[in-house]
Each structure stands twice: as structure tokens, then as C-alpha cells.
Amino acid sequence: MDPFSITVGALGITEFALSSISHLRDLVDGLKEANDVIQDVIFNLNAIQLSLSALKNLQFSDNTTYTEAKEDLKKTGVAEAVNNCGQACAEFSKKLEQWTKHSSSTKLSLRDRLTVGLWNKEKVQTFRTQVHSCQSIVHFAIDSASLIILVRSENSSKTAQQEKEKQLRVLETAIQEHIQLTERKQGDALQRKKDLEYPEDEDEDEGGDAQRTLAIQEIDKQSRLLEADQIASKLVSQTISKLSTREVGNAYNTYNTSFGGSNSGFQIAHSTGTINWNGSRT
């Protein structure tokens, strides 16, 4: 039987989202100083594309494993994260083209620099948050899918089991650290919001109130994105816990019998798991 593979389309990820992500990455690559300003965005966009490419390379040997991995990927909201990120990339591309319309390919004007770095600071931060959250969701979810394949593999040697357990622990640790990071970012966002709501300097330039209100709205968006990121990460963590439980169960329920040496006759063990009559310990 040919192996199964999960396509991005099967998860509900649109071609528009993928092309928008690619277009923004190429656009910023052509603007050196813009690249410097939002270098982290480009890094995360590249990471999203790499993870989605890795998904195409995952091969599932049976329909059960394929279905399990596909459903887990859907639960974590991978498609929604990528599609929303793609829409945000399309909108940001339009804004960036407007902001840099007076720029050459190598140098941004002062006006452009201020627009990207200051006037729209929180809006740019919202976009940063969305791209980073998408990257994390995609990365963790697809890594968990690859571990589903590994855990379900029939290779039950001691070395293979140790490697599975190691990868499960590494991914779980990374997820927990990421959740803690997003919680800290939420705290920072809340503090910025309070600072804007109750500024120490009450003297505002003309239009300052409107700018502050818009900035607060952007911070609220960031907080919602970070909360969604945490929810998705916790769902992946639940999948990892399920895989860890299964792996421990497999190790516990697998018995190996040995003949030879100073032993003679049958060695008997009761198990609801698998008994390997292979004549040697693995």
C-alpha cells in the first residue's frame, strides 16, 4: 500500500495564504532597511514555509495514523493560523508598498522610516505577533505529527524507545517555554496599554488622543493573538502527553523472552501487550 501524506489543502490552508506569505518575504528582501527593521518577521515567514514543506514530506504507513495526525493538526488550528497570517501578510504588503513608495531599493526615506518604526509602532507589533504566533503553531503542530509517526512505528528496540522519549521531552519543554514567553508578552502588552491609558504627561500634541486610542486597539489585538497562541500550544501539549502515555504503555506492555545461558525451559510472563519471542533482549 502506498504511504499516506497530508497536503496543506487537506487541512484547509489556502493558496492565497501561501502566496501572500511568499510575496511579502520577497518584497522585504528587496528593501534592505525594511529587512533590517522587520528581520524577525522574515525569519518567521521562512520558518513557516519550511515547516509546511516538512509536512508534505511526512509519510504515514496506514490510514489510522494518517487520520490521527490530520485530526490533531486540525484541532490545533494550523489552517486558521496560516490563513489569517496570509491575510495579514497581504495587507502588510500593501501598506509597506505605500510606506516605501518614495524609497529606492536600498534606502528608505526618513518619512518611511518613521512610518515603519514609530508612527505605526503598535500596528507593526501586532503583525509581528501574528506571524510569530503562526510560526509557533505550525512548528509545534507539525513536529507533533511527525512524532505520531515515530511513536506508532513498529521499531520497539530500546534505542528507538529512548530516542522517542527524548524527542517527546524536547518538544514538550519547548512548548512549555513558549507558553511562558507568550504569557510574559501578554503582561508586557497589558503594561503598555496601561501606560497609554494613563499617560504621565497629559500634554498631548494635536491628534495624540486619536493615536493613543488606535495604539490601544492594536495592543488589544496583540493580547488576543497571544491568547490564541497559548490555547493552540496547550492543545499540542495535550497531544504530546497522549503520545508520551502511549509510549510508556508500549514500553511497559512489551515483554521480551530470552532462552539460553544458564536458563532452560520456558520463561513465562503474563501481559496484555505484545510478547516478542525473538530469543534475545532488545
Side-chain angles (χ1 to χ4, degrees):
M1 180 183 294
D2 293 334
F4 297 85
S5 60
I6 300 175
T7 64
V8 291
L11 296 177
I13 296 173
T14 66
E15 285 297 326
F16 172 78
L18 298 176
S19 62
S20 296
I21 290 171
S22 180
H23 173 68
L24 177 60
R25 187 200 61 189
D26 293 341
L27 175 62
V28 176
D29 277 345
L31 296 167
K32 183 179 183 301
E33 290 196 40
N35 198 328
D36 293 340
V37 172
I38 53 174
Q39 188 174 26
D40 59 314
V41 170
I42 301 308
F43 174 84
N44 285 321
L45 291 178
N46 283 329
I48 291 169
Q49 291 180 312
L50 286 173
S51 292
L52 292 175
S53 295
L55 173 64
K56 298 176 184 178
N57 295 327
L58 292 182
Q59 299 291 313
F60 300 87
S61 59
D62 60 89
N63 186 60
T64 300
T65 307
Y66 164 81
T67 301
E68 180 181 352
K70 182 179 175 182
E71 290 306 310
D72 283 339
L73 285 169
K74 286 184 175 181
K75 287 177 185 176
T76 56
V78 168
E80 182 180 5
V82 175
N83 290 339
N84 288 341
C85 181
Q87 182 62 45
C89 284
E91 294 172 359
F92 194 79
S93 291
K94 291 180 181 178
K95 288 185 174 67
L96 192 59
E97 287 166 348
Q98 292 173 354
W99 294 340
T100 58
K101 62 184 177 181
H102 301 301
S103 303
S104 68
S105 61
T106 59
K107 185 176 181 179
L108 292 173
S109 69
L110 176 60
R111 178 181 177 183
D112 293 330
R113 188 193 302 274
L114 289 173
T115 301
V116 173
L118 181 61
W119 294 351
N120 287 278
K121 180 179 178 181
E122 290 300 342
K123 196 166 190 65
V124 172
Q125 183 59 38
T126 299
F127 181 64
R128 276 193 168 102
T129 301
Q130 183 158 15
V131 173
H132 184 259
S133 294
C134 177
Q135 185 273 327
S136 300
I137 292 170
V138 171
H139 171 68
F140 290 142
I142 292 177
D143 271 9
S144 72
S146 66
L147 282 173
I148 288 176
I149 298 175
L150 192 63
V151 168
R152 278 189 171 273
S153 68
E154 295 180 357
N155 187 347
S156 58
S157 69
K158 183 177 180 180
T159 300
Q161 288 178 357
Q162 289 175 340
E163 181 61 25
K164 293 174 189 178
E165 292 168 4
K166 177 183 176 182
Q167 291 192 35
L168 287 167
R169 288 195 301 270
V170 168
L171 183 55
E172 177 61 25
T173 298
I175 291 171
Q176 294 305 320
E177 289 177 349
H178 177 72
I179 291 173
Q180 292 171 7
L181 175 62
T182 57
E183 289 173 345
R184 289 197 298 271
K185 286 184 176 181
Q186 266 193 310
D188 292 342
L190 179 60
Q191 184 58 54
R192 293 202 310 278
K193 180 179 178 180
K194 288 181 178 179
D195 292 343
L196 289 171
E197 288 176 331
Y198 307 103
E200 294 181 1
D201 186 0
E202 295 295 338
D203 295 331
E204 291 286 348
D205 296 332
E206 184 178 352
D209 286 342
Q211 288 292 317
R212 192 167 66 245
T213 299
L214 290 172
I216 290 172
Q217 291 174 358
E218 290 300 325
I219 292 174
D220 286 338
K221 291 179 184 178
Q222 294 164 31
S223 183
R224 290 193 295 271
L225 287 167
L226 290 167
E227 184 175 357
D229 188 341
Q230 291 171 40
I231 292 172
S233 297
K234 289 174 182 177
L235 285 171
V236 177
S237 181
Q238 290 173 9
T239 298
I240 299 304
S241 296
K242 180 175 64 176
L243 291 174
S244 298
T245 301
R246 178 185 297 168
E247 183 61 20
V248 171
N250 288 343
Y252 180 79
N253 289 324
T254 300
Y255 289 80
N256 298 289
T257 61
S258 175
F259 299 94
S262 60
N263 296 323
S264 61
F266 287 96
Q267 295 183 351
I268 301 175
H270 173 71
S271 170
T272 58
T274 302
I275 301 179
N276 296 326
W277 303 90
N278 54 16
S280 63
R281 293 186 183 275
T282 57

